[in-house]
Amino acid sequence: MFAIWSYDGKMVYESIIEATEEFDSKYCVGVGGCGSVYKAELQSGQVVAVKRFHSVQDGGIANAKGFEYEIHALLEIRHRNVVKLFGFCSHPLQSFLVYEFLEGGSMKDLLSNKEEIVSFDWIRRANVVKGVADALSYMHHNCLPPIVHRDISSKNILLDSEYEAHISDFGTARFLKLDTFHWTSFAGTFGYTAPEFAYTMEVNEKCDVYSFGVLALEVIMGNHPRDVISFLSPSSLLSTTSTTHDIQLKDILDQRLEPPRNQVAFKVALIAKLALACLATNPRSRPTMQEVSKELSIEKAPTLQVADMLTLGLRFNNA
């Protein structure tokens, strides 16, 4: 009934039920498509996040496959930028997963919080992007078989008290067998899903690469980069009824912060450059997450002037 815990499972189960008062709504900190997340302080004093899956009338859970996929994926992954799974309960009455609790909440909520956004400075933003890139590189290139997340988005990036990024929600994750093609039904979040997935339904690492590109731009812009994505789409590039104009990178950065300077400016410009490469329409033209992670490890700007990088011209269409 209860597994992956260092002590008696039944005791932990009862402690979670008691800590959440049988999953009272006042302990709920988030609601998703397959379940709700609760904050629970155990008798030991440890605070955990409990993801309770929705149940169905026949006594099962609404997304049994997602429940299994998430457990199997997190059992294989050991990375500082991936949320830690402490345990799970699989039972007709209650099915839930127990994770580490991350105080900072989701990236999506933070970017929309006008009061806290100033604390999320450029250095922290660059570190978040680097952390997600490192985790995806590990999943794609250091796990055997490789693991593809398929739903990288700002709502699935959780932050701790130090603004360290943790990828969460592996209910749509897939293991890729080498030399094998993988097709599946649609999964992911609209606005982050690679365009080719709509007509190929093929699962591979380049789907995550595209989603990462969207996320990276969102982190430095402060909102979803819809205009950038719209411009990069084939229909926009072929349009003859629209006009174009140049926008400098510094003008699309989150205006709620002071512009980045010196080496921090180099980091932000590098993130923008790599993000645009990840958004390439042709999946084969996108870099691997291993290449992205390596690029983001560069500490100092090359001979190119840092100031020049922030005046990088981006061409956008006005319909």
Side-chain angles (χ1 to χ4, degrees):
M1 184 177 181
F2 212 93
I4 331 177
W5 206 279
S6 58
Y7 53 93
D8 189 270
K10 183 178 180 181
M11 182 174 66
V12 176
Y13 173 83
E14 293 175 348
S15 180
I16 287 174
I17 298 299
E18 179 183 349
T20 59
E21 298 181 33
E22 297 187 4
F23 296 105
D24 189 286
S25 60
K26 67 183 178 183
Y27 296 99
C28 183
V29 294
V31 179
C34 61
S36 300
V37 180
Y38 298 81
K39 179 180 179 181
E41 183 174 350
L42 304 182
Q43 295 169 348
S44 62
Q46 182 180 13
V47 179
V48 297
V50 182
K51 182 178 181 180
R52 184 194 187 197
F53 281 69
H54 298 313
S55 59
V56 292
Q57 291 182 348
D58 61 4
I61 59 176
N63 188 11
K65 284 291 185 182
F67 183 74
E68 294 176 10
Y69 287 143
E70 188 146 10
I71 293 171
H72 291 157
L74 290 176
L75 281 174
E76 296 296 325
I77 299 172
R78 294 289 184 273
H79 194 278
R80 62 180 295 177
N81 296 110
V82 173
V83 66
K84 293 181 177 64
L85 177 68
F86 290 150
F88 66 88
C89 170
S90 179
H91 189 272
L93 296 178
Q94 303 282 6
S95 292
F96 54 78
L97 305 173
V98 184
Y99 311 90
E100 62 177 323
F101 181 78
L102 297 165
E103 306 91 328
S106 73
M107 173 69 61
K108 181 178 180 179
D109 290 342
L110 176 59
L111 289 176
S112 62
N113 190 319
K114 296 180 180 179
E115 296 179 357
E116 295 184 17
I117 195 65
V118 178
S119 299
F120 191 38
D121 58 29
W122 295 116
I123 294 177
R124 286 170 169 165
R125 296 190 191 207
N127 288 339
V128 162
V129 173
K130 177 67 164 58
V132 175
D134 289 348
L136 288 175
S137 175
Y138 169 83
M139 290 162 54
H140 293 178
H141 302 282
N142 296 98
C143 291
L144 193 64
I147 300 173
V148 177
H149 186 278
R150 296 208 302 157
D151 194 11
I152 295 297
S153 63
S154 57
K155 66 181 174 61
N156 288 332
I157 305 301
L158 304 181
L159 306 174
D160 61 21
S161 59
E162 300 299 321
Y163 295 91
E164 183 86 13
H166 299 73
I167 300 177
S168 69
D169 200 344
F170 283 75
T172 60
R174 292 293 183 273
F175 292 86
L176 300 185
K177 296 180 181 179
L178 299 180
D179 302 320
T180 303
F181 292 101
H182 301 80
W183 286 274
T184 185
S185 57
F186 178 83
T189 301
F190 288 106
Y192 298 85
T193 308
E196 72 274 7
F197 190 70
Y199 54 85
T200 66
M201 290 297 176
E202 181 183 349
V203 179
N204 56 51
E205 296 94 330
K206 292 306 175 81
C207 297
D208 280 353
V209 174
Y210 182 92
S211 300
F212 170 82
V214 179
L215 176 75
L217 281 183
E218 184 175 2
V219 170
I220 62 173
M221 291 174 63
N223 52 55
H224 192 280
R226 292 176 180 83
D227 291 340
V228 178
I229 295 172
S230 176
F231 166 67
L232 295 174
S233 67
S235 59
S236 178
L237 293 174
L238 296 174
S239 174
T240 59
T241 61
S242 61
T243 59
T244 62
H245 64 276
D246 289 326
I247 295 180
Q248 294 183 341
L249 175 59
K250 64 181 180 180
D251 294 328
I252 65 169
L253 296 181
D254 195 335
Q255 302 298 307
R256 294 172 293 183
L257 298 183
E258 291 293 325
R261 302 181 185 280
N262 303 322
Q263 294 301 323
V264 179
F266 162 70
K267 283 284 188 181
V268 173
L270 181 60
I271 288 171
K273 172 190 171 184
L274 292 170
L276 291 175
C278 291
L279 294 176
T281 303
N282 185 349
R284 295 182 179 179
S285 299
R286 297 170 199 156
T288 65
M289 288 311 305
Q290 192 172 54
E291 291 169 337
V292 172
S293 177
K294 184 177 180 180
E295 284 283 319
L296 289 173
S297 297
I298 298 175
E299 292 298 329
K300 294 185 178 181
T303 54
L304 178 67
Q305 292 293 321
V306 173
D308 293 339
M309 300 195 73
L310 283 184
T311 59
L312 171 68
L314 302 176
R315 293 178 64 80
F316 289 84
N317 278 7
N318 270 351

